[in-house]
Amino acid sequence: MRHTQFLLALGITATLAVSGAAHAASPPCNAQISNAGPIAAISYDPFDGVARDVTFAVEFTNNGADACTLSLAVKSQATGSSRYFKNGAQQLLYVVEWPDGSDFPNDINAPQGSISLPAGVGKTKTITLRVKVPAGLMAPAKTYSDLLSFRAFKAGTSTQSKPARK
């Protein structure tokens, strides 16, 4: 049995982007992505005809007194709309999904979903995401990797002002 194994490493590049003028009447949202991952290695066999996936957690922490609702954007190192695990010139396509199976676009400025963060300094909310490699992809047996960046947005915004960096 031939396996193509790959690993995914996570990196957090930005934590929160809040639009100022568009939501001046709503309470401020002071939060950050406090933890992400790790993602376990996946053994992928292109000949078994089965998609392979792993789940991982992303944790958000409230730094303010008010509850807020966030959206999340996820970007890989790949340019364009698709994500690829890479090893030199070899690559394997993959997606990042919500538990319901909806994909995140490969765009750090395209927030998706709704994450309700409870009120109170230090309150946290953890969500589970999935990294999935579709069935039937062919590539040499090697270790493949990629780096993901995450950005949280106050729900309903897609523009940023003063993003916090981590």
Side-chain angles (χ1 to χ4, degrees):
M1 180 151 59
R2 182 178 159 196
H3 289 278
T4 301
Q5 184 169 345
F6 57 91
L7 304 172
L8 175 64
L10 291 177
I12 299 174
T13 59
T15 55
L16 184 68
V18 178
S19 174
H23 295 277
S26 64
C29 190
N30 184 1
Q32 68 181 33
I33 298 171
S34 50
N35 194 18
I39 296 179
I42 301 173
S43 289
Y44 174 78
D45 184 348
F47 301 107
D48 68 7
V50 177
R52 297 291 180 201
D53 62 67
V54 294
T55 59
F56 67 98
V58 178
E59 181 183 73
F60 301 84
T61 300
N62 196 338
N63 296 324
D66 296 315
C68 58
T69 303
L70 304 172
S71 295
L72 183 64
V74 182
K75 172 78 173 98
S76 75
Q77 290 180 319
T79 57
S81 60
S82 297
R83 291 182 178 86
Y84 297 97
F85 289 114
K86 292 188 175 189
N87 182 313
Q90 301 296 322
Q91 59 187 27
L92 281 170
L93 179 71
Y94 75 96
V95 295
V96 178
E97 300 176 334
W98 288 101
D100 69 3
S102 58
D103 293 356
F104 280 90
N106 192 31
D107 185 344
I108 201 67
N109 293 309
Q112 301 289 313
S114 179
I115 304 149
S116 297
L117 193 57
V121 174
K123 297 289 186 173
T124 62
K125 172 75 175 207
T126 301
I127 62 167
T128 302
L129 302 178
R130 179 177 31 244
V131 172
K132 182 177 177 181
V133 177
L137 299 179
M138 300 299 285
K142 294 184 177 190
T143 299
Y144 295 79
S145 63
D146 195 9
L147 181 66
L148 289 178
S149 297
F150 299 91
R151 181 175 288 158
F153 290 80
K154 183 175 179 182
T157 66
S158 60
T159 58
Q160 65 182 52
S161 65
K162 302 178 186 173
R165 298 250 176 222
K166 183 170 183 161

